[in-house]
Amino acid sequence: MTRTLGSVRPKETSLHRRMWMFFQIAGLLALLLTVYIYGSAVVLKEANSLGRDCIPPHVSEIRENFRPKIAIVSFSDEGRVGLPKLSSPSPRARGFRGLMGMVKSNKISYAKMWGYDFIDARTSIDWSRPASWSKIPAIRSNLDKYDWIFWNDADSLVTNPIIRLESILQSVIGTTFAGDEDCHHSNCADLIVTEDVNGVNAGLFFVRRSKWSMEFLDKWWNMSSFIIEGSNKSGDNDALIHYINSLSPSEMWNHVSVAPMQCIFNSYPWTPTWKSLHRFIFSPSSYWKGAYSNGDFMVHLAGLDDKTEWAANIIQEIKPSSSHN
Ligand SMILES: *[C@@H]1O[C@H](CO)[C@@H](O)[C@H](O)[C@H]1NC(C)=O
Ligand SMILES: *[C@@H]1O[C@H](CO)[C@@H](O)[C@H](O)[C@H]1NC(C)=O
């Protein structure tokens, strides 16, 4: 410390000290930020080896009589073919352009591996709304041919093809009920979703063939006051959140299952931005449950702008493990 100097030139010293303190605090903050940025990325990427269970191991054995017919349905907004081009396509539409070409073979080879169908439902797009809404008619028009539809926004990839959709369904519905096609028990789970920090996510979810599901899809489609044009939000997710929040507790219990762990089929890559720092501080458990970690079944590039770049990097990253099957 500069005590002796201080007694000679007190003013300068107190300024000196304050500046020194300022630099110390700034240095500490910079250090904490660096630890946060790199540390959180490393820790979350290893969440599964640090004890996180996205699917509890005891339910990953598939029951013998559980053989549902499943289709993975998806499309991406590649522009309004046959219609006048919009002068300014929404930022969301721009982000999705070119994605299907990148992710399609990943999804088809996963579907082939386990006997599911893959459906590119591009022809279902209703251009009177932002394309994202058309997941509803895309699911609806295929639901009578399958027991379950697994909807995939195109900004998603299968990262661990060893995990079967039956394990996921069984884990959420319960092992004892998983083969019960007529659904005589109390919780039928017609809709299986995950939650992120904003609530239920409409990017990846399961719908079971049932009367309830058909009605649900019609009502969701009818929530046209939620439509947002020209934005990177299209409103279909907000409508779904609103729909689910307004269900009675008994209807919710009987028909909707929110998986306890987001990472069961809807993991998000971790990006150390100010927005995620803020959310990380106020809702750390949501990141623990949902951050993409090695071994997770799927990654979903939700809320990211440079989707094709992300997809290219992830395809590169998972190449060695998915090529030897
Ligand atoms: C959806 O809206 C249409 C047209 O307004 C109506 O005929 C239909 O009954 C509505 N469906 C549901 C399930 O609310
Ligand atoms: C939403 O769109 C705006 C305007 O194009 C863009 O600057 C912003 O990064 C987008 N945000 C997200 C999360 O995609």
Side-chain angles (χ1 to χ4, degrees):
M1 297 288 263
T2 51
R3 264 184 161 269
T4 46
L5 243 174
S7 58
V8 185
R9 290 180 295 188
K11 253 189 186 160
E12 196 181 312
T13 304
S14 95
L15 180 69
H16 199 167
R17 245 188 225 159
R18 262 186 239 166
M19 277 179 64
W20 176 230
M21 235 166 77
F22 171 78
F23 281 119
Q24 274 185 319
I25 291 171
L28 187 67
L29 286 179
L31 181 71
L32 284 178
L33 198 65
T34 314
V35 168
Y36 158 71
I37 289 171
Y38 291 101
S40 60
V42 170
V43 168
L44 291 172
K45 199 77 195 288
E46 291 306 323
N48 293 336
S49 38
L50 293 170
R52 185 178 78 170
D53 271 332
C54 298
I55 304 182
H58 67 279
V59 296
S60 56
E61 280 290 308
I62 296 157
R63 258 176 72 119
E64 241 176 77
N65 64 343
F66 189 44
R67 300 245 175 279
K69 200 163 178 245
I70 307 175
I72 299 170
V73 181
S74 187
F75 62 66
S76 81
D77 178 1
E78 301 288 333
R80 298 152 38 103
V81 177
L83 284 166
K85 280 217 165 65
L86 292 179
S87 54
S88 55
S90 74
R92 185 181 162 89
R94 246 181 278 137
F96 276 80
R97 195 135 305 159
L99 260 184
M100 184 53 87
M102 300 180 75
V103 304
K104 198 168 182 168
S105 65
N106 166 277
K107 291 175 191 293
I108 288 176
S109 64
Y110 172 71
K112 267 199 184 144
M113 188 168 167
W114 297 116
Y116 315 132
D117 284 350
F118 172 80
I119 298 170
D120 181 350
R122 221 170 102 60
T123 51
S124 299
I125 299 181
D126 177 337
W127 294 108
S128 67
R129 303 182 179 201
S132 181
W133 279 88
S134 290
K135 65 183 70 171
I136 302 170
I139 298 165
R140 199 187 191 291
S141 61
N142 287 293
L143 198 54
D144 59 340
K145 301 188 278 292
Y146 296 93
D147 297 311
W148 287 93
I149 298 277
F150 181 31
W151 169 260
N152 282 193
D153 271 5
D155 58 342
S156 65
L157 284 158
V158 175
T159 43
N160 187 355
I162 295 303
I163 295 172
R164 289 171 58 176
L165 298 179
E166 288 89 336
S167 307
I168 291 167
L169 291 170
Q170 204 172 254
S171 155
V172 181
I173 305 167
T175 318
T176 43
F177 297 133
D180 188 354
E181 296 305 336
D182 302 325
C183 197
H184 296 305
H185 56 89
S186 59
N187 183 352
C188 296
D190 294 290
L191 173 65
I192 297 176
V193 285
T194 57
E195 265 178 336
D196 62 20
V197 71
N198 298 314
V200 163
N201 177 258
L204 299 170
F205 56 93
F206 291 85
V207 181
R208 194 174 73 93
R209 182 184 59 215
S210 71
K211 195 167 156 275
W212 185 90
S213 298
M214 283 300 198
E215 258 180 47
F216 150 67
L217 293 170
D218 289 344
K219 287 180 188 161
W220 185 12
W221 179 258
N222 271 7
M223 295 171 79
S224 46
S225 63
F226 283 83
I227 296 171
I228 304 169
E229 298 280 0
S231 161
N232 41 23
K233 275 183 98 179
S234 41
D236 55 305
N237 202 138
D238 292 333
L240 180 65
I241 291 174
H242 182 83
Y243 185 88
I244 288 180
N245 287 344
S246 56
L247 290 177
S248 71
S250 74
E251 190 169 9
M252 182 76 191
W253 167 254
N254 285 327
H255 301 284
V256 183
S257 264
V258 181
M261 295 296 283
Q262 188 195 333
C263 59
I264 188 173
F265 60 81
N266 192 8
S267 306
Y268 299 169
W270 166 249
T271 49
T273 58
W274 286 113
K275 197 170 161 189
S276 48
L277 172 62
H278 181 263
R279 289 170 166 180
F280 188 64
I281 290 167
F282 291 101
S283 181
S285 81
S286 135
Y287 278 102
W288 177 250
K289 290 175 177 180
Y292 173 64
S293 160
N294 295 325
D296 278 356
F297 171 48
M298 285 192 83
V299 68
H300 176 197
L301 311 173
L304 298 172
D305 288 323
D306 36 3
K307 291 182 192 295
T308 47
E309 201 177 304
W310 271 96
N313 288 338
I314 292 167
I315 288 167
Q316 198 57 37
E317 193 181 306
I318 60 178
K319 229 177 193 170
S321 57
S322 61
S323 62
H324 58 73
N325 55 51

